[in-house]
Amino acid sequence: MNNICKEEELHKARIKSALAAMPAEEKIEEMSARFKAISEPSRLKILLALQGGELCVDHITEAVGGNQSAVSHQLKTLKDNKIVKSRRDGKKILYSVSDGHIMAMIELSKEHLNCNE
C-alpha cells in the first residue's frame, strides 16, 4: 500500500509539473497553426528555398518547381503565420524567413531523416 501512495504522489507531482509548463491555450493554438503551416510539402519546400536568403516569387517558383499562383498562395499562408516576411525592392517583392526558430526545427527534422533509430 505504501508503494501505491508513493507512486500516486509521484504521478500527481508529474501532472503538476506538466500543467505548470503548459503554455496558455491561445499559445498552443498559435503553435499548432505554425506546425500546420510548415507541414504542407509545398510550403516546406518554399522555406527550404528561402533558407539561403531572400528570393522573389519568380525565383521561389523556379526553386520549388511550382507555378507562380500556387507559390504566391503558399507565401501568403506563411506570412499570415509570421513565418515569412516580405519587403519591396523596386518592382520586386523579396521574401525571407522571419522566424529562425522555424528553420532550426526544419534543420533538426532534416538531421532526423538520417537517424537510424
Side-chain angles (χ1 to χ4, degrees), residues 2-16:
N2 198 12
N3 269 348
I4 293 173
C5 290
K6 286 182 181 180
E7 193 172 312
E8 185 66 25
E9 286 179 30
L10 178 62
H11 287 180
K12 286 183 180 187
R14 287 179 181 164
I15 292 168
K16 184 177 179 180

Side-chain angles (χ1 to χ4, degrees), residues 64-92:
V64 302
N67 66 58
Q68 187 175 356
S69 175
V71 168
S72 293
H73 176 74
Q74 300 301 356
L75 281 166
K76 180 180 179 339
T77 299
L78 291 168
K79 276 184 74 173
D80 290 348
N81 283 281
K82 300 177 179 117
I83 298 168
V84 170
K85 62 184 175 182
S86 63
R87 71 175 183 88
R88 183 171 288 282
D89 184 27
K91 292 183 178 183
K92 292 204 179 263

Side-chain angles (χ1 to χ4, degrees), residues 41-42 45-46 49 57-68 70-71:
S42 60
K45 286 171 80 174
I46 289 170
V57 174
D58 293 335
H59 294 143
I60 295 169
T61 301
E62 188 176 330
V64 302
N67 66 58
Q68 187 175 356
V71 168

Side-chain angles (χ1 to χ4, degrees), residues 7 13 23 26 30 56 58 65 70:
E7 193 172 312
E26 61 271 6
E30 188 177 334
C56 68
D58 293 335

Side-chain angles (χ1 to χ4, degrees), residues 10-115:
L10 178 62
H11 287 180
K12 286 183 180 187
R14 287 179 181 164
I15 292 168
K16 184 177 179 180
S17 177
L19 289 171
M22 190 78 60
E25 194 64 34
E26 61 271 6
K27 292 295 182 184
I28 291 173
E29 291 294 326
E30 188 177 334
M31 289 169 60
S32 178
R34 288 189 182 172
F35 276 116
K36 184 177 177 183
I38 67 171
S39 70
E40 200 282 324
S42 60
R43 290 192 287 265
L44 184 56
K45 286 171 80 174
I46 289 170
L47 290 170
L48 290 166
L50 291 173
Q51 192 169 23
E54 62 185 7
L55 294 170
C56 68
V57 174
D58 293 335
H59 294 143
I60 295 169
T61 301
E62 188 176 330
V64 302
N67 66 58
Q68 187 175 356
S69 175
V71 168
S72 293
H73 176 74
Q74 300 301 356
L75 281 166
K76 180 180 179 339
T77 299
L78 291 168
K79 276 184 74 173
D80 290 348
N81 283 281
K82 300 177 179 117
I83 298 168
V84 170
K85 62 184 175 182
S86 63
R87 71 175 183 88
R88 183 171 288 282
D89 184 27
K91 292 183 178 183
K92 292 204 179 263
I93 297 178
L94 298 173
Y95 294 88
S96 61
V97 176
S98 64
D99 187 346
H101 295 103
I102 295 290
M103 293 314 297
M105 290 179 359
I106 290 171
E107 276 305 306
L108 186 59
S109 179
K110 282 171 51 180
E111 288 175 25
H112 185 68
L113 292 173
N114 298 322
C115 184

